[in-house]
Amino acid sequence: MKKTSTRLADGRELVYYDLRDDTVRDAVDRRPLERTVTTSQVRRDPLLGDSVAVASHRQGRIYHPPADECPLCPSQGERLSEIPDSSYDVVVFENRFPSLAGDSGRCEVVCFTSDHNASFAELSEEQARLVLDAWTDRTSELSHLPSVEQVFCFENRGAEIGVTLGHPHGQIYAYPFTTPRTALMLRSLAAHKDATGGENLFDAVLDEELAGERVVLESEHWAAFVPYAAHWPYEVHLYPKRRVPDLLGLDEAARTEFPQVYLELLRRFDRIFGEGEPPTPYIAAWHQAPFGQLEDFEGVARDDFALHLELFTIRRTSGKLKFLAGSESGMNVFINDVPPERAAERLREVAS
């Protein structure tokens, strides 16, 4: 992998990740852009104890542009985009309309391929590995920013999820706090460790799932399963079998095998609902340990956390979506229409 860092016309950082070491990236952003002005701020809810990012400047972000005006495609002639070069393998850049900025963190866009009409599931294993390397490198780089406590790499796919740009891409949020979801996991981790005399909760969950009926696929270094209490109609958790706290902890064997396993999972998701159905909308979310102090979680060390990816869709059956209505949105109590055992069975049925 070759990494080349440059700057866009408004001062935002852009990084090319290339498969070939002899690739030269010297294209200049020719757009007449002024420096980005953001109004992002993080406000803490005193009752719930969580945080909300207020970012009014995002109201003006690009919304469903036609394909020939996509800002994530390479620049061609006088059609100038966010990527100055006329081609790329993988590219990452600071979001022009970030939810988090400055002392409130940072947001980046990850373009998986220059092919506007592709999807992650259609990438080659070599290209998917390059994306993994980019996620890992950005996690490392962002973790050193003084305002950053946790790094979250994710992909939103599909208009049903709320995606406003059709080009295959994901995002990285670098939060200035430990997210509420992660804090819940850390509290459960601490309580289980205390109650069992030191047993790791993530290890116990993985062992129990691998011995059960909800395993979707398993390889030498990775395991994918539908969790016992899945929140979403089709939800898969992907774990490396050797517990590590973040993407940086993966060894070469796990990195090499990841594209095979992950691409197979994504392709199965597209086959869940049968032939002729539109691509399955999904969210793919990497859970990594925070880089900040864990003093609020007594007895828990950073290495106790287990890196894992959650992949889920809001489609519950053909032509029908799972909406977060009263119980889910109002009280955070999910109601799942698809039994996790049946979801796992279906995901095994649609294997390549």
Side-chain angles (χ1 to χ4, degrees):
M1 179 188 78
K2 181 181 181 183
K3 175 183 175 182
T4 307
S5 181
T6 185
R7 293 282 170 179
L8 297 173
D10 55 6
R12 289 175 292 132
E13 184 179 18
L14 179 144
V15 184
Y16 294 99
Y17 294 90
D18 287 294
L19 292 167
R20 292 173 54 98
D21 290 337
D22 59 353
T23 304
V24 176
R25 297 296 184 187
D26 55 8
V28 176
D29 185 3
R30 295 181 285 130
R31 297 173 298 171
L33 296 180
E34 297 182 356
R35 285 197 170 270
T36 301
V37 177
T38 65
T39 57
S40 177
Q41 58 178 262
V42 174
R43 299 184 180 183
R44 187 167 179 80
D45 186 317
L47 294 180
L48 298 179
D50 59 7
S51 298
V52 176
V54 180
S56 60
H57 61 276
R58 284 174 53 79
Q59 286 280 37
R61 66 188 185 274
I62 299 170
Y63 188 79
H64 293 298
D68 60 357
E69 296 179 17
C70 175
L72 307 185
C73 288
S75 292
Q76 298 289 341
E78 295 306 308
R79 197 196 72 76
L80 306 179
S81 73
E82 288 280 65
I83 297 90
D85 216 326
S86 58
S87 66
Y88 64 84
D89 290 336
V90 173
V91 71
V92 179
F93 59 89
E94 287 185 76
N95 198 322
R96 191 176 176 188
F97 302 94
S99 302
L100 306 165
D103 293 339
S104 297
R106 175 159 157 153
C107 293
E108 297 183 339
V109 177
V110 184
C111 298
F112 303 140
T113 171
S114 60
D115 184 352
H116 180 85
N117 297 312
S119 68
F120 202 121
E122 295 171 323
L123 299 182
S124 67
E125 290 185 11
E126 184 182 38
Q127 186 78 6
R129 167 61 190 265
L130 185 60
V131 175
L132 174 63
D133 290 342
W135 282 331
T136 304
D137 181 72
R138 297 317 302 160
T139 296
S140 176
E141 293 289 332
L142 294 170
S143 71
H144 291 99
L145 296 180
S147 63
V148 172
E149 188 166 313
Q150 186 172 5
V151 179
F152 176 46
C153 307
F154 64 100
E155 180 192 2
N156 296 329
R157 192 264 191 113
E160 299 94 330
I161 298 293
V163 175
T164 57
L165 296 176
H167 195 103
H169 73 288
Q171 299 181 66
I172 301 176
Y173 277 22
Y175 297 102
F177 50 80
T178 297
T179 62
R181 185 77 176 274
T182 304
L184 286 173
M185 293 185 206
L186 291 169
R187 292 189 190 100
S188 296
L189 185 63
H192 185 84
K193 190 174 185 179
D194 180 64
T196 60
E199 182 182 63
N200 185 280
L201 178 58
F202 286 108
D203 293 350
V205 167
L206 182 57
D207 289 344
E208 183 174 348
E209 291 290 359
L210 286 176
E213 60 181 316
R214 290 179 297 277
V215 175
V216 173
L217 63 86
E218 182 181 358
S219 65
E220 183 178 357
H221 302 286
W222 294 88
F225 57 87
V226 177
Y228 171 73
H231 289 59
W232 299 94
Y234 291 90
E235 174 182 337
V236 174
H237 292 193
L238 177 63
Y239 277 70
K241 289 185 174 178
R242 183 179 69 87
R243 173 165 42 90
V244 294
D246 53 40
L247 290 165
L248 284 73
L250 292 174
D251 60 21
E252 183 57 30
R255 292 181 183 281
T256 299
E257 197 178 71
F258 170 77
Q260 306 162 28
V261 175
Y262 187 50
L263 291 173
E264 172 63 15
L265 276 179
L266 293 180
R267 290 162 186 165
R268 291 190 193 189
F269 257 59
D270 272 344
R271 292 194 290 268
I272 292 173
F273 303 104
E275 296 292 332
E277 286 292 319
T280 301
Y282 66 74
I283 292 174
W286 279 109
H287 291 272
Q288 306 191 80
F291 288 96
Q293 298 297 315
L294 299 180
E295 63 270 11
D296 292 340
F297 311 99
E298 187 175 352
V300 172
R302 191 171 186 275
D303 287 346
D304 290 330
F305 193 88
L307 168 76
H308 60 286
L309 180 141
E310 293 187 14
L311 173 66
F312 61 89
T313 180
I314 62 172
R315 186 178 292 164
R316 56 188 175 88
T317 189
S318 180
K320 297 179 181 179
L321 301 180
K322 165 65 179 176
F323 291 102
L324 300 190
S327 186
E328 292 89 352
S329 295
M331 298 302 287
N332 200 29
V333 177
F334 275 67
I335 300 169
N336 190 351
D337 302 301
V338 180
E341 293 73 24
R342 174 54 190 148
E345 181 182 23
R346 178 59 182 160
L347 286 162
R348 290 192 298 268
E349 290 173 351
V350 296
S352 298

